[in-house]
Amino acid sequence: MIDIVKQTIKVTDLGLIDYGTAWDKQEAVMQEGLKIKSLKFTNPEDPAANTNIQHQLYLCQHPHVYTLGKSGALENLLINNQHLQDLGATFYKTNRGGDITYHGPGQMVAYPLLDLEQIYTDLGKYMRGLEEAIILTIATFGLKGERLEGATGVWLDASIPGKARKICAMGVKCSRWLTMHGLALNINSNLDFFNYIVPCGISDKGVTSIQKELGTIIDEEKVKSIFLEKFAEVFQLEIN
């Protein structure tokens, strides 16, 4: 029997970190990966061209912030700059996919920095994989996560008219099969902050959290631990 050696992924917990700082960290990783990929074509004799790009995963939380995807509509932010300041929140227009969302304390944000060429070159499959990792994670808390046709992310009661509510938002960027940005799972989030946007540009569906569904404060470290296990399982990676 031949043992299959899994690829590894380096996990870094950034804690509570400013959104812009975390974005800069992701960009630096992506640019380094793009440089390696470029060398493989332009100067394959360069020793750096033979470097394997290390998969990475950043976990973090952000202070109150609203982020808009590159194809999102600014009118889905329902408040002005003064109101943002009053809330102690910031706003970023980003280069990820998707529309507008909120990040804040009590939420698990995950930024997978993967080289999909080493896994599979299928962005749709990658997004379904992210969803699956969350579906498996919240299932351990007795919640049935589902996909909603025509929308990314993980939902509860997705097929029940008037009851569908999103528990995890997703939006990524992929360049030459290198990924950045990712997902945000509402654990103990203050859901009132979603009242100031049209979440993900969808006006007729709600937003929820594990805390709201279960009626109790959730151990966020436990959620992160379970997520890492499920993420590694879905993508067949070994946590480094």
Side-chain angles (χ1 to χ4, degrees):
M1 181 176 179
I2 300 175
D3 290 331
I4 298 175
V5 178
K6 290 184 178 179
Q7 297 178 58
T8 63
I9 183 167
K10 179 183 178 183
V11 176
T12 304
D13 193 331
L14 300 174
L16 183 67
I17 185 172
D18 174 74
Y19 182 84
T21 303
W23 186 2
D24 288 343
K25 286 180 176 292
Q26 294 177 75
E27 286 283 2
V29 172
M30 173 169 276
Q31 290 307 314
E32 183 61 29
L34 289 172
K35 180 180 176 182
I36 292 170
K37 286 185 179 248
S38 179
L39 280 174
K40 290 181 187 294
F41 288 96
T42 61
N43 191 8
E45 302 304 317
D46 189 316
N50 296 316
T51 303
N52 283 329
I53 296 171
Q54 170 71 64
H55 302 301
Q56 296 194 56
L57 175 62
Y58 289 160
L59 293 176
C60 64
Q61 291 191 15
H62 296 306
H64 303 300
V65 60
Y66 296 100
T67 70
L68 183 68
K70 60 185 179 182
S71 58
L74 187 57
E75 55 264 32
N76 287 329
L77 176 64
L78 305 178
I79 55 177
N80 59 26
N81 288 335
Q82 183 59 55
H83 199 165
L84 275 172
Q85 291 180 27
D86 293 343
L87 289 171
T90 54
F91 171 79
Y92 285 85
K93 189 166 185 179
T94 78
N95 58 356
R96 63 164 173 79
D99 205 285
I100 197 166
T101 195
Y102 159 78
H103 298 308
Q107 188 183 68
M108 182 192 77
V109 177
Y111 295 130
L113 305 161
L114 308 182
D115 178 13
L116 291 182
E117 278 192 311
Q118 298 183 57
I119 304 175
Y120 46 66
T121 51
D122 185 329
L123 190 56
K125 185 177 180 180
Y126 170 60
M127 297 301 292
R128 303 295 79 76
L130 293 180
E131 291 166 351
E132 187 64 19
I134 292 297
I135 288 170
L136 293 172
T137 297
I138 66 175
T140 64
F141 294 89
L143 298 176
K144 184 182 178 183
E146 299 175 329
R147 296 177 178 87
L148 181 66
E149 186 175 353
T152 59
V154 176
W155 304 73
L156 304 184
D157 294 329
S159 60
I160 302 177
K163 291 200 172 182
R165 53 209 184 275
K166 180 176 277 192
I167 197 165
C168 181
M170 297 180 180
V172 306
K173 176 184 177 182
C174 185
S175 180
R176 295 188 67 176
W177 299 111
L178 296 172
T179 69
M180 62 180 288
H181 298 297
L183 61 87
L185 173 64
N186 299 327
I187 304 174
N188 298 310
S189 308
N190 181 347
L191 300 178
D192 289 345
F193 278 83
F194 285 98
N195 294 333
Y196 306 113
I197 60 173
V198 180
C200 302
I202 302 173
S203 60
D204 62 343
K205 294 178 175 62
V207 178
T208 191
S209 67
I210 301 178
Q211 178 192 7
K212 182 177 181 180
E213 295 299 320
L214 301 185
T216 186
I217 296 292
I218 305 301
D219 183 340
E220 294 171 21
E221 292 302 315
K222 180 180 178 181
V223 176
K224 286 194 288 188
S225 178
I226 294 169
F227 169 73
L228 287 176
E229 175 189 330
K230 302 305 182 184
F231 182 91
E233 176 185 318
V234 168
F235 291 99
Q236 289 296 289
L237 297 168
E238 193 78 42
I239 300 293
N240 187 349

